[in-house]
Amino acid sequence: MSVAIENFVKAIYKNGKRDNNDTKPGNIAKELGISNAAATDMAKKLAVKDLLHYQKYQKLKLTEKGTKMALTVVRKHRLWESLLFKLFDMSLHDIHREAELLEHQTSDLLANKISEYLGNPKFDPHGDPIPNADGEITTTDTSITLSQTSEGKTYIISRLMSDDKEFFDFCAQHGLKYGNTVLVSKQFTKNKMTQISINNNTILLNEDFTSIIYVNETN
C-alpha cells in the first residue's frame, strides 16, 4: 500500500481514539494537510478496497482490514520512536518526525527485531501504547486528562498526546515527562486552568495543555 493510504487509515484510527472522535473527511483532511475534496476522494477509493466504510457527511469508520493496517503502521511508528529515544536521546518532537518517515519503509521482520531489542515495550516515550506483532493493544487505558484531576492529589504522567514541537519543548523544560509525578494544587474551573507542582516548581497550565496531558492517580 502507498504512503498516502497508510497515513490516511492511521489518521482515521488516531482521530477515532481522541475525545472528540471526529473522523469526518474534513477533519482527516485537516490532520493530513490536504483538501476536503482530496480526503473525500481517498475515502471513496479506500471504501472500494474494503479499508473503511464511507457514507456522505458521516464519520469514516475503518473496517477490520483497515484497522489492522492502521495498527501495523502505528506499531512501526511507535517502535521507531522508542528506539530513537533510547539510542540517541532525541526530543519527543524529533523522534515523532523521524518515525513518520521510517514507519513506511519498515518490514514486519525489522519491526519485530526492534521490538525484541527494546524488550517488547508496551508504551512509547510519549506514553502511547504499542500494538503487539498481531496488531493488538494489550494494555488498558485508565488515564484521565490533567483538566479532570482533583485538587490535592498526586498523579503520574501517562501520556503526552500531541505532535506539536512547542508543546514538547515546554514539557521538556518543565519536567513534564512520561512517568514523572505531579501534584495538582489548584483547579481554576471557571478559567479552565490547572496549577500543578513538579520538581519543586509551580506551573499554571491552560486547557490547551491540560486537555492533552494524561495522568493516572498514584496509589
Side-chain angles (χ1 to χ4, degrees):
M1 290 292 180
S2 71
V3 170
I5 291 175
E6 289 185 343
N7 281 336
F8 200 85
V9 296
K10 184 178 72 169
I12 295 172
Y13 173 80
K14 291 178 67 177
N15 277 29
K17 293 297 182 181
R18 291 172 181 159
D19 290 340
N20 61 8
N21 190 29
D22 190 349
T23 59
K24 289 182 179 179
N27 202 47
I28 301 302
K30 183 179 179 181
E31 177 84 9
L32 296 175
I34 60 178
S35 69
N36 288 0
T40 299
D41 184 55
M42 176 67 88
K44 290 178 180 178
K45 290 179 179 178
L46 299 192
V48 174
K49 294 179 180 291
D50 191 34
L51 291 172
L52 58 81
H53 299 291
Y54 171 79
Q55 283 185 295
K56 195 173 183 179
Y57 306 128
Q58 301 299 313
K59 294 179 180 179
L60 301 176
K61 296 181 180 180
L62 295 175
T63 61
E64 183 177 345
K65 181 180 177 182
T67 300
K68 174 73 172 178
M69 175 185 288
L71 284 167
T72 298
V73 179
V74 166
R75 168 176 166 78
K76 293 171 181 177
H77 179 99
R78 292 175 180 172
L79 283 171
W80 272 116
E81 287 185 327
S82 302
L83 183 67
L84 294 173
F85 189 78
K86 176 182 175 67
L87 293 181
F88 305 116
D89 194 28
M90 296 167 66
S91 72
L92 294 181
H93 174 71
D94 285 342
I95 62 173
H96 172 75
R97 185 178 58 184
E98 295 301 323
E100 283 288 314
L101 303 173
L102 293 165
E103 66 190 29
H104 304 293
Q105 311 301 326
T106 306
S107 67
D108 292 341
L109 174 63
L110 180 55
N112 291 340
K113 290 294 184 182
I114 293 172
S115 183
E116 290 174 11
Y117 174 78
L118 294 170
N120 299 311
K122 300 288 187 181
F123 299 93
D124 72 10
H126 301 94
D128 294 322
I130 300 175
N132 63 20
D134 295 321
E136 301 168 338
I137 292 177
T138 58
T139 54
T140 301
D141 185 10
T142 59
S143 61
I144 58 175
T145 62
L146 202 52
S147 60
Q148 298 171 309
T149 55
S150 301
E151 294 179 3
K153 291 189 176 181
T154 303
Y155 298 84
I156 295 175
I157 298 174
S158 61
R159 199 170 190 181
L160 302 172
M161 192 175 285
S162 176
D163 301 333
D164 182 67
K165 183 179 187 301
E166 285 190 352
F167 170 76
F168 287 131
D169 287 346
F170 179 90
C171 289
Q173 182 181 351
H174 293 89
L176 296 169
K177 298 179 181 179
Y178 169 65
N180 282 7
T181 301
V182 300
L183 169 66
V184 177
S185 50
K186 182 70 175 177
Q187 286 285 13
F188 297 92
T189 307
K190 183 178 179 180
N191 294 301
K192 298 181 179 180
M193 302 186 78
T194 303
Q195 181 175 294
I196 63 171
S197 296
I198 181 169
N199 298 333
N200 296 318
N201 293 318
T202 299
I203 309 171
L204 186 61
L205 300 172
N206 65 23
E207 190 180 30
D208 289 340
F209 278 66
T210 60
S211 63
I212 56 177
I213 298 175
Y214 285 75
V215 296
N216 284 307
E217 187 175 349
T218 58
N219 296 325

